[in-house]
Amino acid sequence: MGDMRRIRNIVILTGAGISAESGIDTFRSEGGLWERYRVEDVATPEAFARDPGLVLGFYDMRRAAIQEKLPNDAHMALARLDAAWKGDLLIVTQNIDDLHERAGASRVLHMHGEHLKAWCTACDRRSPWRGPLIERPPCPACGMRSLRPDVVWFGEVPYRMDAIHAALRTCDLFVSIGTSGAVYPAASYVRNARDLGAQTLELNLEPSKGSPWFHESRHGPATEMVPAWVDELLSGLG
Ligand code: NAD
C-alpha cells in the first residue's frame, strides 16, 4: 500500500457491505430486502409523491430493524482508528444506519442521510426520530404534518458534498469498504482522490465494479479485513 509513514490524512468511504455482518441487508444481497422491493417504488421522490404510505411504511420497518442491530468488528476497528489517528480522518458513509456512531466513531459524515432523523419539508428542520412516520405525526418544531425520512433518495443530491470534496483534495489515503462502486457520486471518489495523488485501497467481499480504479483491492468479509488493516496502519505509525 505504499509508504505508510507518509500518510497523514485519510478518507474512508463505507457502504452497505460494512453493515452486512450486523444483519442489515445490502442493496444487492441475494434474497435480501431489495429483491422484494423495487428501488423506484420506495427510494425516489416520485415514489413518495405517488404512494407516501408505501414509502413511509418501508422506512418505518427499516428504522425499527436497525435499532435491533449491533455494530460489528469492522465498525469497532474504524472507531478505534478514529480515536487514535492524529491527522485528518473522515468516514464518509453511504449508510443510513447509525452503527459507526454506536461503535464510537465521531468523524462520520452521512452523505445519504440518516434513518434516525426526520426532515420536515415545511420548516426544513431535522429532528431525531426513532418511531414510525406512517401516521404522519406533527413536526416537533412547527407542528405541520410534513415529515419524511431524512434520507437521500435516488435523484436527490447527497449531503455535504463540499466537505467531502475538501477532504478528498487533502487526503493521502482513500479507503473504500463494502461498497459496490455502482452508486454515484460516491463511486467516483476513488478517481478524484487518486487523480490528486492519494493512495487508494479497496476492502470488499469480492471484486467490485470500482476495483480497477484502486491501487490495491483486498477481498474478504469486512469484520476480518478492516480490523487487520487498522492494525497494520496503526502499527506503521511507530
Ligand atoms: P451495495 O449493496 O450496492 O454493495 C454492497 C457491497 O458490499 C458489495 O460490493 C458487496 O460485495 C459488499 N459486501 C457484502 N457483504 C460484505 C461483507 N461482509 N464485507 C465486505 N463487503 C461486503 O451497497 P452500496 O455500495 O453501499 O450502495 C447502495 C446504496 O444503498 C447506498 O446508497 C446506501 O445508502 C444504501 N443502503 C444502505 C444500507 C445501510 O444503511 N446499512 C443498506 C442497504 C443499502
Side-chain angles (χ1 to χ4, degrees):
M1 204 175 63
D3 184 354
M4 290 198 287
R5 280 167 305 183
R6 289 217 233 110
I7 295 168
R8 180 155 176 82
N9 300 330
I10 307 175
V11 173
I12 301 165
L13 174 71
T14 67
I18 198 170
S19 295
E21 289 164 87
S22 292
I24 302 178
D25 283 344
T26 66
F27 234 21
R28 292 164 185 87
S29 57
E30 272 173 45
L33 188 73
W34 297 98
E35 274 190 1
R36 283 176 271 135
Y37 289 85
R38 291 191 321 151
V39 164
E40 314 86 76
D41 290 338
V42 289
T44 63
E46 292 80 8
F48 186 54
R50 195 168 53 232
D51 192 347
L54 178 76
V55 173
L56 293 173
F58 172 80
Y59 281 93
D60 284 356
M61 183 178 75
R62 296 283 283 173
R63 194 179 309 103
I66 64 147
Q67 294 179 65
E68 311 270 301
K69 310 296 182 192
L70 295 171
N72 64 44
D73 287 349
H75 299 104
M76 301 304 274
L78 291 189
R80 187 157 57 85
L81 178 63
D82 178 31
W85 194 256
K86 300 278 186 285
D88 287 348
L89 178 146
L90 184 63
I91 300 171
V92 176
T93 187
Q94 299 168 87
N95 294 346
I96 56 182
D97 66 52
D98 64 338
L99 296 182
H100 284 305
E101 287 89 344
R102 275 198 271 150
S106 54
R107 291 181 273 182
V108 181
L109 186 162
H110 282 273
M111 64 178 294
H112 290 164
E114 295 173 67
H115 257 317
L116 299 182
K117 283 188 186 162
W119 171 30
C120 177
T121 53
C123 75
D124 203 32
R125 285 279 284 272
R126 266 107 179 154
S127 306
W129 205 268
R130 290 188 172 271
L133 287 170
I134 191 134
E135 305 292 349
R136 312 309 298 261
C139 166
C142 75
M144 296 288 284
R145 295 180 184 276
S146 302
L147 295 174
R148 57 163 271 186
D150 188 18
V151 301
V152 176
W153 285 324
F154 286 91
E156 296 183 324
V157 179
Y159 293 158
R160 309 206 34 216
M161 304 268 273
D162 289 354
I164 296 171
H165 282 282
L168 289 171
R169 272 197 295 278
T170 56
C171 75
D172 313 299
L173 174 64
F174 174 85
V175 185
S176 170
I177 303 172
T179 177
S180 61
V183 178
Y184 281 82
S188 62
Y189 293 162
V190 57
R191 274 167 279 163
N192 298 150
R194 191 175 173 150
D195 286 350
L196 293 163
Q199 286 289 315
T200 56
L201 170 69
E202 176 186 58
L203 306 176
N204 203 55
L205 189 60
E206 59 201 4
S208 76
K209 261 193 159 167
S211 297
W213 298 104
F214 289 84
H215 290 103
E216 185 184 346
S217 265
R218 299 182 190 173
H219 303 130
T223 55
E224 289 172 23
M225 306 301 286
V226 180
W229 167 69
V230 167
D231 287 346
E232 190 183 307
L233 191 64
L234 290 178
S235 65
L237 268 179

